[in-house]
């Protein structure tokens, strides 16, 4: 049977460094380990990756493979070669403990660690999307959400059954070892016991309320206090309110992600607000007092004479209070001078009279005329 090139299996070039080989193996092993990847063919791919790494990570075997290829390990190949190689001689245990943070122990590759079948496991975290109005997000509010959560079954106290006994298939380990053979020896893969689903124990009577899962679905209403200043996409963590854990493990958490509606007049950028304020041509020219809205109520602005279109004024501290902070942003007022398009006879007459006065003494107009 033709075997794939070991470098190709790990996705690296011939001549790769030890660190590059190890890094490639870690990435692929984490992706294809049967406890992580349930796709068909993942287990075979995982064994193929382990076989390639067992050769390329050993300087002597790597040297012979580079010289003779697969023939180096098939009895008569190369300069004597090997009569076969078993991964039982290779310590994958430390590699996987480091790779998976100790949560995946005992892969049958010579490692000695074993995962406890009954270790406490945290419940699943949940993500909930919640819509808020623009004002609710800025001011903060209280909201309620309804969510279906896994809870410990109240009939069997989360055990899943009655009359507990040690699983006869795995002898309480929760894991079983499966062996397969190749030209390179015996490969062992440790998988979850199907009899007890990894619990290490079975029950004389299955709980009919939770159907042996230990958990039941229950709709719950949870009240949430939303802080001031949350923005679109902001996530609020509600600790310990998610799905129930297993074997005495803690509940998961709930993450609330907010979708904030638009304001008809304000634009928000982080903690700052922007407000476009229209001015008539006379208000902009001679100045005025202008009432404008803010998120804290209306205020009166003193608009200076000669305010131009696009002029900006900052109102410090009139923006949004940043979530979980005491700092408030600012409100930037942008003036928009409205040029009238329809004039009454009287208004038109006034503008015509005004045009006869010397309006061309403005410095910008004078500077422009120099180029005419």
């Amino acid at each position: 049977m033709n075997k794939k090139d070991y470098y190709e299996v790990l996705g690296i070039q011939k001549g790769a460094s030890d660190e590059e080989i190890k890094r490639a193996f870690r990435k692929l092993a984490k992706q294809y380990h049967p406890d992580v990847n349930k796709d068909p063919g993942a287990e075979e791919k995982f064994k193929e990756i382990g076989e390639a790494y067992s050769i390329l990570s050993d300087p002597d075997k790597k040297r012979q493979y580079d010289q003779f290829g697969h023939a180096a390990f098939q009895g008569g190949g190369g300069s004597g070669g090997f009569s076969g190689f078993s991964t039982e001689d290779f310590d994958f245990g430390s590699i996987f403990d480091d790779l998976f943070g100790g949560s995946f122990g005992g892969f049958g590759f010579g490692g000695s660690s074993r995962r406890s079948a009954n270790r406490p496991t945290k419940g699943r975290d949940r993500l909930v999307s919640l819509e808020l109005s623009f004002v609710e997000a800025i001011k903060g509010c209280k909201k309620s959400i309804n969510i279906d959560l896994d809870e410990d079954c109240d009939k069997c106290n989360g055990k899943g059954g009655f009359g507990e006994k040690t699983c006869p298939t795995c002898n309480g380990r929760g894991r079983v070892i499966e062996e397969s053979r190749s030209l390179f020896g015996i490969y062992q893969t440790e998988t979850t016991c199907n009899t007890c689903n990894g619990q290490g124990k079975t029950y004389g009577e299955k709980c009919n309320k939770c159907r042996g899962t230990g958990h039941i679905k229950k709709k719950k209403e949870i009240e949430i206090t939303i802080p001031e200043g949350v923005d679109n996409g902001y996530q609020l963590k509600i600790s310990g309110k998610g799905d129930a854990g297993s074997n005495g493990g803690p509940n998961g958490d709930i993450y609330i992600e907010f979708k904030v509606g638009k304001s008809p007049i304000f634009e928000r950028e982080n903690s700052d607000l922007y407000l476009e304020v229209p001015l008539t041509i006379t208000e902009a020219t001679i100045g005025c007092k202008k009432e404008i809205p803010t998120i804290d109520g209306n205020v009166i602005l003193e608009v200076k004479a000669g305010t131009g279109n696009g002029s900006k004024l900052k109102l410090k501290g009139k923006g949004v209070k940043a979530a979980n902070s005491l700092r408030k942003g600012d409100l930037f007022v942008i003036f928009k001078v409205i040029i009238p398009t329809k004039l009454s006879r009287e208004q038109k007459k006034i503008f015509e009279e005004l045009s006869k006065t010397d309006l061309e003494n403005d410095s910008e107009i004078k500077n422009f005329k120099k180029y005419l």
Side-chain angles (χ1 to χ4, degrees), residues 60-351:
D60 291 333
K61 296 181 178 66
K62 180 176 181 291
R63 184 168 56 253
Q64 295 203 40
Y65 177 73
D66 287 345
Q67 186 174 1
F68 302 108
H70 292 292
F73 312 106
Q74 295 177 1
S79 57
F82 291 92
S83 59
F85 177 75
S86 171
T87 52
E88 291 178 349
D89 299 325
F90 188 82
D91 184 12
F92 280 92
S94 60
I95 295 292
F96 283 106
D97 284 344
D98 181 42
L99 180 64
F100 293 101
S103 63
F104 288 86
F107 292 92
F109 286 115
S112 60
S113 61
R114 290 292 182 264
R115 178 174 64 177
S116 171
N118 298 313
R119 66 181 174 86
T121 303
K122 182 183 176 182
R124 184 174 53 154
D125 294 337
R126 303 292 294 274
L127 177 65
V128 178
S129 181
L130 184 61
E131 294 185 359
L132 297 177
S133 71
F134 187 82
V135 174
E136 286 175 331
I138 288 176
K139 293 292 189 181
C141 59
K142 289 186 180 294
K143 288 278 188 177
S144 293
I145 60 168
N146 292 295
I147 183 171
D148 288 328
L149 293 172
D150 285 341
E151 288 200 338
D152 284 341
C153 175
D154 52 6
K155 183 173 182 179
C156 63
N157 295 320
K159 292 182 177 296
F162 309 94
E164 181 181 317
K165 57 185 178 182
T166 300
C167 175
T169 302
C170 64
N171 293 320
R173 293 180 64 252
R175 315 280 293 173
V176 292
I177 295 176
E178 297 178 353
E179 291 187 351
S180 60
R181 295 177 179 272
S182 75
L183 293 173
F184 290 86
I186 299 174
Y187 292 88
Q188 295 179 330
T189 305
E190 195 171 81
T191 59
T192 302
C193 175
N194 289 327
T195 303
C196 64
N197 294 319
Q199 295 299 306
K201 54 194 175 186
T202 59
Y203 296 93
E205 179 187 352
K206 182 186 290 187
C207 177
N208 58 14
K209 185 171 184 178
C210 65
R211 297 181 180 179
T213 64
H215 291 153
I216 55 173
K217 287 285 186 185
K218 189 173 183 181
K219 186 176 288 294
K220 297 194 73 174
E221 183 179 47
I222 300 174
E223 188 175 85
I224 306 162
T225 299
I226 300 167
E228 298 176 53
V230 300
D231 205 350
N232 201 48
Y234 180 92
Q235 286 190 356
L236 179 67
K237 179 181 177 182
I238 312 296
S239 298
K241 295 295 185 180
D243 285 336
S246 301
N247 300 316
N251 286 5
D253 306 315
I254 295 178
Y255 290 86
I256 311 295
E257 184 171 277
F258 298 107
K259 292 185 178 179
V260 180
K262 297 284 187 181
S263 167
I265 55 172
F266 293 107
E267 289 288 338
R268 179 176 177 181
E269 187 175 305
N270 297 322
S271 295
D272 294 328
L273 292 176
Y274 293 82
L275 174 67
E276 191 175 76
V277 175
L279 294 177
T280 66
I281 193 168
T282 53
E283 288 175 328
T285 303
I286 64 177
C288 65
K289 291 183 183 295
K290 191 79 171 178
E291 185 176 14
I292 68 163
T294 76
I295 59 173
D296 298 316
N298 292 356
V299 297
I300 304 294
L301 288 185
E302 189 79 33
V303 180
K304 294 181 180 180
T307 295
N309 188 53
S311 296
K312 188 184 292 185
L313 179 65
K314 180 170 79 172
L315 300 185
K316 192 170 180 61
K318 290 295 184 180
V320 181
K321 179 178 175 290
N324 301 316
S325 170
L326 297 177
R327 180 189 172 278
K328 287 194 73 172
D330 305 316
L331 171 62
F332 292 90
V333 176
I334 302 170
F335 294 108
K336 181 180 181 182
V337 180
I338 306 299
I339 306 297
T341 55
K342 292 183 180 180
L343 296 173
S344 66
R345 283 186 179 180
E346 182 180 358
Q347 290 170 332
K348 187 175 182 180
K349 185 177 180 181
I350 292 172
F351 273 101

